[in-house]
């Protein structure tokens, strides 16, 4: 039973159960889902931390070095649109294993690259197949009853966010000891290990739809224009994710210029910020108990307040304030993501792959603007302007969200 309201009431969120006898995921399989998601999505961030080393080794001059990040992101965006939607058409276990194999091949190709063109082509493949993490998330939601769906999504997404947060510092640490190619070899091996484990552990899930691939792609536009809840939740998380990218793009610049941090110290700072992933399971439980609206508001308010604290911390040279800001900003982003996906996966059991593809594509596109905002605000206005921009994004999305609350009441 698809929903078409802007907001879904707590009762409605639980009103569409899956098969009642589903036992849910064991702790071991939940951990495997979480680890696989984190390991896969981390692949699109390794090169971001190693642009200088890679561009120098592969003789990339000038602006071409920027393509190292751009091409990987373009691949991920293409995968979100063209590959994640296949979860409503292709047997899900097979699709997940295919994306893991493709990611491993892309990583091995990047590690072996002797030219810029080869590396960029492999980077596109890495991004394209790494979106398999977004196949795993709705897959997990299919395997549990509706009453525990939020908790499951929260646990799995905790692994995904941890992968994002650990990718850059891990790349820096490995490259400092073994060179930049080592992280790609290590991750390729990890993908193969995860492939073997998931092949043994995942059940088969064959979608029941009869649509063809082109019909699947066309139907995503229909889902977007006819599902207000999807529109709103994608907009909320897209703006919030933009603020996340804004913070983590600008903070290394601040730590280098104002605090004199080395790359290793910046990596340690990022590791501390990864503690924000702990909010994911809590957010999932809030959603299962019907507190989605309150949790969303709290996440947006938290984001706004801690960007202001971060602005003060940067000018007062307070590393403690910046670490706490990183943790709470990450927690806010993760909380809203879990609450939003809890709603998205409750809209239509037979279109979860497409719903997630549309949702994540919009989130990714809006979020990518955050990096551009970070560069512009930091270089032309300094850290305070960057922090106030992040707070402004939090306030703006809170105001948009308030119209949903007023219409609901």
């Amino acid at each position: 039973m698809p929903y078409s309201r802007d907001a879904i009431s707590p009762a409605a969120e639980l009103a569409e159960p899956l098969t009642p006898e589903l036992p849910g995921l064991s702790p071991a399989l939940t951990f495997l889902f979480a680890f696989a998601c984190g390991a896969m999505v981390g692949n699109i961030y390794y090169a971001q931390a190693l642009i200088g080393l890679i561009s120098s080794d592969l003789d990339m001059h000038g602006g071409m070095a920027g393509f190292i990040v751009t091409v990987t992101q373009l691949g991920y965006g293409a995968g979100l649109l063209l590959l994640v939607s296949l979860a409503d058409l292709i047997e899900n276990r097979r699709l997940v294993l295919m994306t893991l194999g493709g990611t491993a091949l892309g990583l091995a190709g990047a590690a072996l690259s002797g030219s810029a063109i080869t590396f960029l082509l492999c980077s596109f493949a890495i991004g394209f197949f790494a979106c398999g993490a977004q196949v795993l998330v709705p897959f997990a939601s299919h395997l549990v009853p509706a009453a525990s769906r939020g908790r499951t999504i929260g646990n799995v997404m905790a692994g995904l966010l941890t992968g994002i947060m650990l990718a850059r510092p891990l790349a820096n640490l490995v490259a400092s000891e073994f060179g930049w190619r080592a992280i790609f070899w290590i991750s390729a091996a990890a993908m193969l290990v995860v492939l073997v484990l998931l092949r043994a552990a995942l059940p088969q899930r064959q979608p029941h739809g009869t649509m063809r691939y082109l019909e699947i792609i066309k139907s995503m536009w229909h889902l977007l224009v006819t599902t207000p809840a999807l529109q709103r939740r994608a907009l909320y998380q897209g703006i919030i994710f933009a603020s996340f990218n804004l913070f983590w793009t600008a903070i290394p610049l601040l730590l280098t210029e104002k605090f004199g941090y080395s790359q290793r110290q910046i990596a340690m700072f990022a590791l501390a910020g990864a503690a924000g992933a702990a909010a994911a399971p809590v957010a999932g439980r809030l959603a299962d108990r019907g507190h989605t609206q309150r949790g969303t508001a709290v996440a947006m308010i938290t984001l706004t307040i801690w960007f202001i604290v971060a602005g003060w911390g940067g000018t007062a040279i307070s590393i403690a304030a910046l670490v706490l800001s990183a943790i709470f900003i990450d927690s806010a982003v993760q909380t809203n993501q879990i609450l939003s996906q809890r709603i998205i996966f409750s809209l239509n059991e037979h279109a979860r792959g497409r719903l997630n593809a549309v949702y994540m594509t919009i989130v990714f596109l809006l979020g990518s603007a955050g990096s551009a905002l970070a560069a512009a605000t930091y270089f032309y206005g300094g850290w305070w302007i960057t922090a106030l921009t992040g707070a402004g994004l939090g306030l703006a999305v809170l105001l948009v969200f308030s119209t949903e609350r007023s219409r609901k009441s």
Side-chain angles (χ1 to χ4, degrees):
M1 179 177 65
Y3 301 112
S4 60
R5 298 184 293 277
D6 287 313
I8 299 177
S9 67
E13 289 179 35
L14 303 178
E16 185 201 2
L18 296 174
T19 308
E21 64 271 15
L22 285 174
L25 298 180
S26 67
L29 188 53
T30 300
F31 175 81
L32 182 55
F33 265 96
F35 178 81
C37 282
M40 290 187 79
V41 81
N43 289 311
I44 68 175
Y45 295 98
Y46 293 140
Q48 290 185 12
L50 306 174
I51 290 177
L53 294 174
I54 295 171
S55 60
S56 176
D57 189 36
L58 298 181
D59 199 25
M60 294 185 187
H61 297 294
M64 192 177 184
F67 282 104
I68 292 174
V69 175
T70 303
V71 169
T72 308
Q73 292 179 337
L74 287 174
Y76 191 71
L80 286 173
L81 189 63
L82 301 175
L83 197 60
V84 173
S85 56
L86 285 173
D88 293 334
L89 183 65
I90 294 178
E91 195 276 307
N92 285 188
R93 176 173 170 269
R94 187 192 317 158
L95 180 59
V96 169
L97 298 180
M98 182 189 76
T99 61
L100 282 163
T103 307
L105 287 174
L107 289 162
L112 290 169
S113 294
S115 69
I117 296 300
T118 303
F119 182 84
L120 293 175
L121 288 173
C122 291
S123 294
F124 184 89
I126 291 169
F128 185 79
F129 289 108
C131 73
Q134 294 300 333
V135 177
L136 276 169
V137 178
F139 192 177
S141 75
H142 277 291
L143 301 178
V144 296
S148 60
R149 187 181 299 148
R151 182 170 68 252
T152 299
I153 295 170
N155 290 333
V156 172
M157 287 299 296
L160 190 146
L161 181 64
T162 301
I164 293 174
M165 296 305 303
L166 294 183
R168 296 180 187 90
L170 181 62
N172 277 318
L173 292 173
V174 171
S176 67
E177 297 294 330
F178 306 105
W180 69 265
R181 297 177 190 269
I183 189 64
F184 292 95
W185 282 120
I186 292 170
S187 188
M191 292 301 98
L192 294 178
V193 170
V194 171
L195 187 154
V196 171
L197 293 175
L198 287 180
R199 187 176 185 275
L202 286 183
Q204 291 191 345
R205 179 189 171 269
Q206 180 64 53
H208 299 297
T210 58
M211 301 176 71
R212 296 181 179 179
Y213 181 60
L214 288 180
E215 294 173 328
I216 288 280
I217 298 298
K218 291 178 182 178
S219 70
M220 290 194 290
W221 174 255
H222 177 75
L223 287 170
L224 176 61
V225 299
T226 59
T227 314
L230 174 60
Q231 298 164 10
R232 281 184 169 267
R233 284 290 156 175
L235 177 64
Y236 299 161
Q237 186 61 18
I239 295 174
I240 290 174
F241 190 52
S243 70
F244 172 89
N245 284 338
L246 179 141
F247 181 87
W248 285 105
T249 300
I251 195 68
L253 302 174
L254 175 73
L255 293 175
T256 300
E257 294 181 8
K258 298 288 187 180
F259 292 79
Y261 272 26
S262 65
Q263 286 298 110
R264 186 177 291 271
Q265 288 172 309
I266 293 173
M268 293 299 103
F269 180 92
L271 284 175
V282 177
R285 285 163 174 78
L286 285 174
D288 287 337
R289 294 172 183 173
H291 300 302
T292 298
Q293 297 296 94
R294 293 187 186 90
T296 300
V298 169
M300 293 172 179
I301 293 169
T302 299
L303 183 81
T304 304
I305 291 173
W306 282 95
F307 258 108
I308 295 173
V309 174
W312 173 83
T315 54
I317 317 298
S318 172
I319 194 63
L322 289 174
V323 169
L324 287 173
S325 297
I327 292 172
F328 279 100
I329 288 170
D330 291 354
S331 297
V333 175
Q334 184 71 346
T335 295
N336 191 72
Q337 172 78 338
I338 302 306
L339 298 175
S340 294
Q341 286 193 305
R342 174 65 170 80
I343 288 178
I344 297 303
F345 295 152
S346 297
L347 295 173
N348 186 335
E349 177 183 352
H350 301 295
R352 282 185 186 146
R354 282 166 289 161
L355 287 165
N356 197 44
V358 173
Y359 169 79
M360 286 304 305
T361 299
I362 294 173
V363 168
F364 181 79
L365 290 175
L366 290 176
S368 63
S371 298
L373 273 176
T377 57
Y378 188 84
F379 285 112
Y380 292 106
W383 175 250
W384 250 122
I385 298 301
T386 300
L388 289 176
T389 300
L393 289 173
L395 182 59
V397 75
L398 181 62
L399 291 174
V400 175
F401 175 67
S402 69
T403 65
E404 176 181 323
R405 292 177 62 84
S406 63
R407 288 169 63 173
K408 182 183 174 183
S409 57

